[in-house]
Amino acid sequence: MSLISPACRDALQLWLEGLTALAGRSENTINAYRGDVSDFLSFMTLHHSERQGLAALERITVSDMRAWMAQQRESGVGARSLARKLSAVKSFYRWLAEREGFEPTAVLSTRAPKYTKKLPRPLAEDAARAMIETVELQSGSDWVAARDVAVVTLLYGCGLRISEALSLTGADAPLPNTLRIVGKGDKERIVPVIPAARQAVDRYLELCPHPQSPTAPLFRGVRGKALSPRAIQGVMAKARMQLGLPATATPHAMRHSFATHLLSAGGDLRAIQELLGHASLSTTQAYTAVETARLMEVYNRAHPKA
């Protein structure tokens, strides 16, 4: 028997459908929210020894919230993950309270656990260049090598997410001076395409044995199907081992490197936010912390009074 009452299950589904239709949340985000809120509702059923209908959810207390958070921590859920779960529960409750007309203070006033935000881990400029050069050496097939170089160059040269690069189609080729990218939450942005990225994609297209069409994926796997992100993750893993780079040298690290290197060259934070497609400037500001940490490293190493 489900631990979640039919009324709660229906309310949860309605909330998720609204997020999909109105807020443009991705499938991964919706699945994460579904799991987080379902786990919370299941806990409340066990905590009160009965399935919680909508009326019972209105009576949840601060003590109930503390019990849930304690159970999560005892189960090994880290502070960052618990903060994410609490955020999903609060979002659901905010919507439910407005719909049902009750006061959700006990839930909304619950404080998330404190945690240290992880800073982006970019590659140094010479390491980013070496990564692109070394990626080319990982395949015996000229067209596959050219493909891998084109994808990684787009990540570093344009700050694309791997999913964004692999969502390009034949209609985007040859690459123009600017690309219209649809990122997280269906947020559109215009991204300048540097000559090196255009040249890398042109070389790949010249060598690619699979016919291109406007609706087909631009980047293909060996058998002609859409290229999987795992293929690029795998080729970068081989390259970083040869270069002696840490495990953090992933496709996403190339995007981090794009932002960090722009910032260190004097790029405007707001402009970088637009280029990355961040909804909030606070997300982009993480790169200022990276740059500050790097400058302090140089200071401590080089200054005679350090």
Side-chain angles (χ1 to χ4, degrees):
M1 183 184 73
S2 172
L3 294 176
I4 305 173
S5 72
C8 288
R9 189 168 58 247
D10 291 346
L12 174 57
Q13 182 60 32
L14 195 61
W15 172 64
L16 293 172
E17 288 173 357
L19 289 179
T20 303
L22 301 177
R25 296 288 195 273
S26 70
E27 185 178 348
N28 286 342
T29 299
I30 292 299
N31 288 336
Y33 282 175
R34 186 191 307 278
D36 292 340
V37 177
S38 294
D39 288 348
F40 172 80
L41 295 174
S42 295
F43 169 82
M44 288 302 166
T45 292
L46 296 172
H47 184 58
H48 291 280
S49 301
E50 61 179 353
R51 285 202 297 188
Q52 303 293 283
L54 294 182
L57 291 185
E58 297 176 18
R59 297 191 295 270
I60 283 181
T61 64
V62 172
S63 177
D64 293 330
M65 294 302 295
R66 287 174 179 162
W68 171 66
M69 294 184 74
Q71 183 267 345
Q72 291 290 302
R73 295 310 297 267
E74 288 171 5
S75 300
V77 175
R80 180 186 295 269
S81 296
L82 182 51
R84 187 207 72 210
K85 287 172 178 283
L86 179 60
S87 176
V89 170
K90 284 183 175 182
S91 180
F92 171 66
Y93 253 80
R94 200 174 287 113
W95 171 86
L96 186 65
E98 185 176 337
R99 180 171 177 264
E100 299 294 323
F102 67 89
E103 180 54 55
T105 303
V107 174
L108 299 187
S109 64
T110 303
R111 292 185 179 181
K114 292 183 178 180
Y115 61 90
T116 303
K117 291 186 176 180
K118 291 182 180 178
L119 294 178
R121 295 194 178 183
L123 280 66
E125 291 184 32
D126 57 348
R129 288 194 293 269
M131 174 60 77
I132 295 173
E133 293 167 1
T134 309
V135 157
E136 189 172 11
L137 306 176
Q138 303 310 306
S139 175
S141 169
D142 287 346
W143 83 267
V144 172
R147 177 202 68 191
D148 296 342
V149 168
V151 174
V152 177
T153 303
L154 280 172
L155 304 183
Y156 178 54
C158 302
L160 300 188
R161 299 177 177 92
I162 182 69
S163 60
E164 294 168 347
L166 299 188
S167 70
L168 297 176
T169 67
D172 297 306
L175 294 189
N177 290 331
T178 58
L179 277 173
R180 185 179 296 275
I181 298 295
V182 179
K184 285 186 176 181
D186 288 336
K187 182 179 174 59
E188 283 194 6
R189 68 186 192 277
I190 301 298
V191 176
V193 181
I194 61 173
R198 287 200 299 275
Q199 292 161 12
V201 172
D202 286 345
R203 180 167 180 267
Y204 154 68
L205 290 173
E206 287 174 9
L207 298 174
C208 182
H210 303 293
Q212 290 292 331
S213 75
T215 57
L218 180 63
F219 295 110
R220 309 288 192 87
V222 174
R223 295 175 181 167
K225 295 183 178 180
L227 180 62
S228 165
R230 288 187 178 181
I232 301 301
Q233 291 164 355
V235 77
M236 282 192 63
K238 292 178 183 177
R240 72 171 176 251
M241 288 180 68
Q242 293 179 14
L243 293 169
L245 295 174
T248 52
T250 63
H252 205 62
M254 301 303 284
R255 173 174 155 89
H256 289 326
S257 304
F258 162 85
T260 304
H261 298 165
L262 279 181
L263 186 64
S264 63
D268 176 73
L269 199 61
R270 283 284 184 189
I272 295 172
Q273 176 193 2
E274 289 296 320
L275 290 172
L276 292 173
H278 287 161
S280 169
L281 184 63
S282 63
T283 306
T284 316
Q285 283 173 330
Y287 294 101
T288 63
V290 173
E291 184 61 11
T292 301
R294 188 187 69 82
L295 289 173
M296 288 304 297
E297 226 176 86
V298 172
Y299 174 85
N300 289 329
R301 188 169 62 245
H303 197 283
K305 296 292 186 182

